[in-house]
Amino acid sequence: MKKVYSRIESITGNVIAVKASDVKYGELAEVSTRFGLSLAEVIRLEDDLVSLQVFAGGRGISTGDEVRFLGNPMRVSFSDDLLGRIFDGAGEPRDKGPALKENLITIGGPSVNPAKRIIPREMIRTGIPMIDLFNTLVKSQKLPIFSVSGEPYNQLLARIAMQAQVDIIILGGMGLKYDDYLFFKEALEEGGAIQKTIMFVHTAADPVVECLMVPDISLAVAERFALKGKNVLVLLTDMTNFADSLKEIAITQEQVPSNRGYPGDLYSQLASRYEKAVDFSDAGSITILAVTTMPGDDVTHPVPDNTGYITEGQFYLRGGRIEPFGSLSRLKQQVNGKTRADHRAIMDGMIKLYSSYKDSLEKKSMGFQMSAWDKKLLKYGSRFEAEMMDLSVNISLEAALDKGWEILAECFDPEETGLRSELIEKYWPVKTAG
Amino acid sequence: MTETKGTVTAVNGNMVGVRVSGAVSMNEVAYILVDGKRLKSEVIRIRGETAQVQVFEITKGIKVGDGVEFTGDLLSVELGPGLLGQIYDGLQNPLPEVAAKTGNFLEAGVYLEPLSRERLWAFEPKHKVGDNVERGDCIGVVPEGVFEHRIMLPFGLAGSWTIKSIKGKGSYTIDEVVAVLTDARGAEVPLTMCFKWPVKRAVECYAERLRPSQPMVTKIRLIDTFFPVAKGGTYCIPGPFGAGKTVLQQVTSRHAEVDIVVIAACGERAGEVVETLKEFPLLSDPRTGRSLMERTIIICNTSSMPVAAREASVYTAVTMAEYYRQMGLNVLLLADSTSRWAQAMREMSGRLEEIPGEEAFPAYLESVIASFYERAGIVRLRDGGTGSVTIGGTVSPAGGNFEEPVTQATLKVVGAFHGLSRERSDARKYPAIHPLDSWSKYPGIMDSRAVDYGRSFLARSAEVASMMKVVGEEGTSLDDYLVYQKGEFLDAVYLQQDSFDKVDCSVSPERQKRSYRLVLEVLATEIDAKDKEDARSWFYGLRQKFLDLNGAEWMSHRHAALESEIESLLVGRSKGRDKQAERLIKVLE
């Protein structure tokens, strides 16, 4: 048993310092405060002065409180018993289930050797045409959902969680409103996906340090399942809260801020999480979808900006729909040539026409006269928005492709679509009524 | 290993404070002894008895009181035959071998030999006993792929030496002594086929530096014609995310007319490196017919790998580039991205509690960037041959705003600027290099007046386009409209290039000249058009033909047929030609 220290030298924000020896960098300690036990992590060593970041926060800690070092870094229990359970950012149960203490694994482990990675090759079906058809999600991809407060991004995540064809879903909530937490819980229970889901949830009311732990815990567990051959989908919401926690802690530790108060290592911090997405050549995979809310709808804000440089594309969620412009899955080319012969053609063709529709719409709003072609586009655009872009549409990729042909056939003549003749011959629906 | 020993006194992120007994030098490599592992680190500050070291690994688990060994050596790479085709991390750890040893993950403290100790190389001496030699001189050669790899005197071996003994033709490992040198005082130095060189020191064993004047052909039209890069020159590619920086680098690494390409994947996505790793061995180099991997070295320190090694990785890469330059080869170093490297410096500077400069980057940011790019250059070697290192770095400016410190510091020192624009990439106009904002100070493959003539159309066309936004198409004169169409035409058929098309992806200088001449003819012709609609549809037709031409095999029947179709389309609408352009077209012929 390790020695107990009962004199705290200083308390600044969430950071306490004690004089102690034989302490490892990154080691955990237990602090007993008047509110109970809290974990704390060693974040700095200087001679015999050890600085610790207290998970439950510094509020109420007394200089006479006891600190006991545990001799190990932050760990989380890993087993199939995790499935269907809900934990907080420190790995403690949030549901009524028992605490899990067996088979502890270290979080924030080393990065995957690039030489062991493989080129991604399989799509993940979600039943959402704007993803499956237009910006296919690929196994081992890391994609953020750029959105703004008020958009239904959590609803979108919940839908993907319920429908995505993966073995295990891990939901990491950071700074979630309690209502949103309950929404996820209920949605997954009703959708029947709860048995393959593990939730690590930090709510807005929880201590800020625990927020930082959520991605690491979620991804450490995901990594173990992936090594056991499972395909894991990690859903993180909201990474901007994670970045804000980083900022808050960096500032209280008097670090020099770089851009809008965020620490200089924001890119590395985000990258070390996102880069956990991987497809092991001889085991399973980790795919990451992460909500990133853009403060002020500004994509040049440091958090979405740094994220965009790290991830393999992005989805923009605006006005309750996934925007076709700006949204991009960088890996879609790896898979959409193998799905159905008309996939790429429909993907490009429909988006080009939709972009022409936007031009016509602009002309219309400026009071210009609408030509016959403009009218066709207007009809097309409204059908595209209602039957493809609407998030409530829930059909398979093949059904979505058929639907695409149907919309085109009802709005245009074949040669107006710009699609190759051999595809038109094969897929153009026999016209019944115009 | 030196006598100096130390103990850890402080840990903060990847910076560790060490109390030392004895002498310690700046930038010396030290190993921290933790739980049976040795973690590599570099001394970055010395104050009294305390040295501060940056650790190239995750620092979790280090305790106050842990032992530290000092090596006395600066951070170095090993140079010798066998570098080509390798995949290293930022510290020259061979990643495939590491994977064979530790599996899927990069465990801390595993350092393997960068070059094979067993492989035999067919050595052929180029000097005989009694010859006088000095540092950088070639004493013999071994074949490495298609190259004659020179075995050179270590670059740090000062003074003049006499060969006392040298091995004859035969196969040796890199550790076997192939020659023994003596100097005037009788000191003896055994030579093997490899040696170490500190990465942060430029190699200066050459007769003189020359001015970069020969174009380094990338086979990308927009670059070679409008914004050329010279052999031994420097260029930078800043751009927001998604603008195609990495694709542009990948295309360049495949098609550039150089002998050797060193790719430094510095703090970027691992997935992108994987594409290169898996595809290069399968692609063949059109110049030699061998696998592309045989002319490539990959230094891979992706974003989730430790930050301090990221800082080292660009130096590791440039040192290897300089080594092959000493063999009279033309080497291209592609660094993606230098912003991540600058951020690594920023992180360390923050931990050292230095007074921050703009956006918290250290005050020495500019001088460090400048001295890195200055390691590019074309040199005349002492044997009369030339060799060059060309450096192309991408920059990832925050928010896509070029006013930020890294872009600005880079622009001060490079010879060409290929600025990528979000508008062009959103419009799927690739490569998304902005044709009006970018610049180059190097001479290109074509007469500069002909290039300027084309550029003047781009500028005027952009003016007309912005005017049309205000007054509408109906408020624009037909003449202006034709200029606008010509600019758009030049953009669509010449500036844009399909890097996924097997013909259009790489265009030889010869073909560029021929295409450009045809484009000039279009630009110079006064087009006879009834109205704007007529002009538009005619230009669309012409554009389609030209795009087909771009996709046709060079000098095939189809190529010739399309060319004459374009000529006759043009003749049918010609009202005469600009006299000035006539002369320029002549020059190109």
Side-chain angles (χ1 to χ4, degrees), chain A residues 151-269:
Chain A
E151 291 286 348
Y153 44 81
N154 285 333
Q155 281 75 359
L156 176 64
L157 276 194
R159 257 197 72 193
I160 294 173
M162 283 183 284
Q163 297 185 184
Q165 292 183 334
V166 291
D167 302 323
I168 287 170
I169 289 168
I170 296 178
L171 180 91
M174 288 152 282
L176 275 191
K177 285 205 302 275
Y178 208 85
D179 309 358
D180 287 335
Y181 156 58
L182 292 177
F183 159 76
F184 272 117
K185 196 170 153 225
E186 283 161 19
L188 290 169
E189 274 167 3
E190 278 168 33
I194 197 87
Q195 285 317 312
K196 63 168 183 177
T197 306
I198 307 164
M199 290 167 73
F200 294 96
V201 175
H202 163 264
T203 68
D206 296 337
V208 67
V209 182
E210 289 186 7
C211 181
L212 291 184
M213 296 293 156
V214 169
D216 284 339
I217 291 194
S218 308
L219 290 162
V221 170
E223 201 163 74
R224 285 306 172 107
F225 277 114
L227 286 171
K228 284 175 76 181
K230 304 284 188 205
N231 291 308
V232 188
L233 176 64
V234 178
L235 305 170
L236 300 170
T237 174
D238 157 359
M239 285 301 275
T240 306
N241 289 335
F242 168 77
D244 286 341
S245 304
L246 276 177
K247 173 167 82 172
E248 189 179 326
I249 286 160
I251 299 265
T252 50
Q253 284 178 249
E254 298 172 4
Q255 280 183 25
V256 181
S258 68
N259 209 341
R260 293 211 216 174
Y262 289 94
D265 62 355
L266 178 64
Y267 175 86
S268 303
Q269 292 282 4

Side-chain angles (χ1 to χ4, degrees), chain A residues 12-122:
Chain A
T12 323
N14 300 322
V15 179
I16 61 169
V18 292
K19 287 215 158 114
S21 59
D22 210 26
V23 174
K24 287 179 185 157
Y25 187 69
E27 181 175 342
L28 279 193
E30 269 178 358
V31 185
S32 9
T33 71
R34 69 180 79 180
F35 305 112
L37 280 181
S38 168
L39 289 176
E41 187 181 19
V42 175
I43 55 162
R44 190 167 186 161
L45 296 172
E46 200 157 4
D47 292 319
D48 58 349
L49 197 65
V50 179
S51 304
L52 299 121
Q53 184 163 274
V54 184
F55 287 14
R59 193 163 296 145
I61 292 185
S62 139
T63 51
D65 283 345
E66 287 183 348
V67 179
R68 191 168 67 88
F69 288 93
L70 303 177
N72 56 264
M74 178 70 187
R75 293 187 297 186
V76 61
S77 163
F78 168 75
S79 68
D80 284 348
D81 295 344
L82 288 171
L83 292 167
R85 298 288 311 272
I86 306 172
F87 304 90
D88 66 8
E92 297 298 323
R94 196 178 261 289
D95 53 11
K96 306 249 161 22
L100 299 175
K101 293 290 170 210
E102 279 84 57
N103 191 23
L104 294 167
I105 57 165
T106 305
I107 69 165
S111 116
V112 172
N113 188 329
K116 289 291 272 187
R117 285 176 183 263
I118 54 174
I119 298 181
R121 64 226 147 138
E122 277 176 74

Side-chain angles (χ1 to χ4, degrees), chain A residues 22 24-25 44-47 110-113 116-117 256-258 264-265 267-268 271 275 305 308-311 330 334, chain B residues 9-11 13 59 61-64 95 99 104 106 239 242 267 269-270 278 303-304 310 340 346-347 360 397-399:
Chain A
D22 210 26
K24 287 179 185 157
Y25 187 69
R44 190 167 186 161
L45 296 172
E46 200 157 4
D47 292 319
S111 116
V112 172
N113 188 329
K116 289 291 272 187
R117 285 176 183 263
V256 181
S258 68
D265 62 355
Y267 175 86
S268 303
E275 284 283 326
D305 185 53
Y309 279 117
I310 296 163
T311 53
R330 286 173 191 255
Q334 312 277 8
Chain B
T9 59
V11 186
T59 48
I62 299 180
K63 307 198 283 283
V64 169
L95 287 173
N104 283 319
L106 292 166
R269 304 178 184 95
K278 306 281 171 187
S303 56
S304 60
R310 190 196 300 169
R340 307 298 163 224
R346 174 166 75 184
E347 285 183 32

Side-chain angles (χ1 to χ4, degrees), chain A residues 338-402:
Chain A
K338 296 181 284 195
T339 47
R340 213 170 90 172
D342 56 337
H343 186 164
R344 282 187 182 165
I346 285 284
M347 170 182 92
D348 287 334
M350 289 195 89
I351 294 297
K352 272 187 196 148
L353 287 167
Y354 184 70
S355 140
S356 309
Y357 154 75
K358 284 279 182 185
D359 293 342
S360 297
L361 204 62
E362 201 184 323
K363 269 206 250 170
K364 191 182 171 197
S365 66
M366 286 164 77
F368 287 105
Q369 206 158 23
M370 293 286 94
S371 67
W373 173 241
D374 286 325
K375 284 183 188 148
K376 283 185 169 184
L377 284 170
L378 289 177
K379 179 180 172 195
Y380 165 77
S382 57
R383 288 206 58 180
F384 184 78
E385 287 180 351
E387 294 170 43
M388 285 283 185
M389 285 174 68
D390 199 292
L391 277 186
S392 67
V393 179
N394 184 7
I395 46 179
S396 73
L397 169 68
E398 288 72 18
L401 288 168
D402 292 341

Side-chain angles (χ1 to χ4, degrees), chain B residues 553-573:
Chain B
E553 272 320 321
W554 173 235
M555 287 294 136
S556 61
H557 281 301
R558 187 169 153 71
H559 186 263
L562 282 163
E563 258 187 1
S564 59
E565 271 181 60
I566 290 167
E567 297 272 6
S568 61
L569 267 178
L570 204 53
V571 171
R573 287 295 184 115

